[in-house]
């Protein structure tokens, strides 16, 4: 699900001689690297079959720009939602499955793989997003609260009164979008928009049959919502006849669970498998072009791997 990629200057250090050439080379590097999705690594939470590990063996997979797959972090239990800050630190929600009542913690993993506990005492599942100043927002599913953590780890309540929030995404203006589930026949699910000061407005009312899972923005600023029924809905923010018209952007065979967009406008989606069957696990990642064409990106079935949530690492040159 889920951090805003930020742009910054590519740092070159030209010498006195050849200064003009170095500036041209620096500009070329910006164009070549910062405009290319190939420079981005995709990080995916999930589980793997590992030696000397009794399941669940929670890991973070890394898919490099050239398609290579490796394990970036291990030793987790059942990792869920993931998000990056602009410095390349990865925040991951992990579930302690040995507890009678599910408890979740948020770990911070530095780019070189050092892991520390960033937040604890949360319910499972919880969801995470990071704004462009490094504040970490965590939606506590069971308690209906969104916490805001400063980079130092200090916590404040950003929003409350939700039912079961499941997905968060920031737009370019720094507003936080949160999708909340229905309350039976009492209230339909909604997508809320929060201003940085916490002021809330209703962006959209969901259909009774919706089973929302995650949010992301496309390259044009339209909002995408993953649904456990398999659809990926697009809310067009530039609708002419009526505001925020909703269409189906694409579908996956079973259950759309997590969304992430790369810098080239491609959308990556975790298919959680048949969620109606007990014991089913996420088993595939699909890649959609900006036009909606779908291709298989990765499958975990052959090696008994499972995928849960995904996020793209910010491009270092664009910090």
């Amino acid at each position: 699900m889920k951090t805003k990629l930020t742009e910054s200057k590519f740092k070159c250090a030209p010498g006195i001689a050849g200064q003009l050439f170095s500036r041209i080379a620096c500009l070329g590097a910006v164009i070549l690297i910062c405009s290319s999705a190939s420079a981005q690594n995709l990080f995916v939470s999930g589980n793997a079959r590992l030696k000397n590990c009794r399941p669940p063996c929670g890991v973070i997979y890394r898919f490099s720009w050239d398609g290579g797959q490796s394990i970036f972090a291990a030793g987790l239990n059942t990792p869920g939602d993931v998000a990056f800050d602009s410095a390349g630190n990865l925040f991951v929600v992990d579930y302690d499955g040995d507890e009678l009542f599910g408890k979740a913690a948020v770990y911070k993993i530095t780019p070189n793989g050092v892991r520390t506990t960033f937040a604890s005492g949360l319910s499972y599942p919880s969801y995470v997003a990071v704004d462009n100043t490094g504040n970490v927002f965590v939606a506590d599913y069971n308690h209906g609260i969104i916490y805001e953590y400063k980079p130092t780890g200090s916590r404040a309540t950003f929003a409350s009164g939700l039912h079961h929030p499941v997905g968060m995404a920031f737009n370019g203006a720094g507003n936080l979008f949160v999708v909340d589930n229905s309350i039976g026949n009492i209230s339909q699910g909604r997508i809320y928009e929060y201003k940085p000061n916490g002021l809330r407005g209703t962006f959209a009312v969901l259909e009774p049959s919706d089973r929302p899972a995650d949010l992301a923005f496309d390259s044009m600023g339209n909002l995408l919502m993953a649904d456990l029924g398999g659809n990926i809905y697009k809310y067009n923010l530039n609708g002419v006849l009526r505001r925020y018209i909703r269409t189906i952007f694409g579908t996956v065979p079973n259950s759309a669970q997590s969304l992430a967009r790369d810098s080239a406008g491609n959308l990556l989606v975790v298919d959680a498998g048949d969620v109606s069957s007990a014991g089913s696990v996420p088993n595939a990642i699909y890649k959609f072009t900006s036009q909606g064409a779908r291709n298989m990106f990765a499958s975990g079935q052959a090696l008994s791997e499972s995928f849960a949530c995904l996020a793209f690492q910010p491009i270092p040159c664009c910090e």
Side-chain angles (χ1 to χ4, degrees):
M1 319 176 149
K2 315 225 198 68
T3 184
K4 180 178 178 292
L5 297 181
T6 57
E7 294 184 353
S8 68
K9 297 179 181 178
F10 182 77
K11 297 179 179 63
C12 293
I16 296 177
Q19 186 174 9
L20 179 60
F21 175 80
S22 296
R23 288 180 178 176
I24 294 174
C26 182
L27 177 61
V30 172
I31 296 173
L32 177 64
I33 300 176
C34 292
S35 64
S36 173
S38 64
Q40 288 183 282
N41 293 321
L42 177 68
F43 287 71
V44 184
S45 62
N47 292 88
R49 179 175 291 179
L50 302 175
K51 293 182 178 179
N52 302 319
C53 177
R54 185 175 64 181
C57 301
V59 300
I60 303 295
Y61 296 102
R62 175 170 55 194
F63 292 89
S64 62
W65 61 269
D66 59 357
Q69 179 181 344
S70 61
I71 292 179
F72 171 70
L76 299 167
N77 193 61
T78 308
D81 204 16
V82 289
F84 277 100
D85 65 13
S86 59
N89 298 305
L90 178 66
F91 295 85
V92 53
V93 178
D94 196 21
Y95 166 51
D96 184 358
D98 293 331
E99 296 287 343
L100 179 61
F101 299 100
K103 293 183 179 180
V106 178
Y107 294 113
K108 177 182 177 180
I109 306 176
T110 64
N112 60 359
V114 177
R115 187 182 83 192
T116 56
T117 300
F118 182 78
S120 59
L122 299 161
S123 70
Y124 180 83
S126 293
Y127 300 81
V128 62
V130 185
D131 68 13
N132 57 11
T133 61
N135 298 312
V136 180
F137 292 75
V138 180
D140 190 309
Y141 178 86
N142 286 334
H143 297 134
I145 296 173
I146 300 174
Y147 296 109
E148 178 182 359
Y149 293 85
K150 298 298 183 183
T152 58
S154 63
R155 187 180 86 175
T157 297
F158 178 76
S160 59
L162 299 164
H163 178 52
H164 284 321
V166 293
M168 300 186 292
F170 283 96
N171 68 0
N175 296 331
L176 177 64
F177 286 69
V178 179
V179 59
D180 199 16
N181 274 280
S182 301
I183 311 175
N185 296 324
I186 300 175
S187 176
Q188 287 180 245
R190 284 171 167 78
I191 299 175
Y192 294 113
E193 179 181 3
Y194 289 90
K195 301 293 184 182
N197 61 5
L199 183 64
R200 185 179 86 178
T202 297
F203 173 80
V205 177
L206 304 183
E207 297 295 329
S209 60
D210 286 347
R211 292 187 289 163
D214 198 14
L215 297 176
F217 284 92
D218 67 13
S219 58
M220 301 301 293
N222 300 308
L223 183 64
L224 300 168
M225 184 184 83
D227 185 87
L228 294 178
N231 290 328
I232 302 158
Y233 295 106
K234 180 172 78 171
Y235 291 87
N236 187 345
L237 273 65
N238 300 311
V240 177
L241 298 179
R242 65 185 179 93
R243 205 177 183 199
Y244 310 149
I245 185 172
R246 175 169 127 168
T247 58
I248 295 177
F249 170 77
T251 62
V252 296
N254 292 296
S255 181
Q257 176 167 285
S258 181
L259 306 174
R261 180 178 62 85
D262 67 21
S263 61
N266 300 305
L267 182 71
L268 279 291
V269 182
V270 169
D271 184 342
D274 185 3
V275 296
S276 63
S277 298
S280 64
V281 294
N283 55 28
I285 302 173
Y286 290 94
K287 179 178 180 179
F288 290 81
T289 66
S290 57
Q291 290 76 36
R294 187 188 80 192
N295 292 289
M296 173 72 75
F297 179 81
S299 174
Q301 290 180 319
L303 299 177
S304 298
E305 299 169 331
S306 68
F307 306 123
C309 298
L310 40 75
F312 277 101
Q313 185 180 39
I315 302 174
C317 78
C318 297
E319 294 177 355

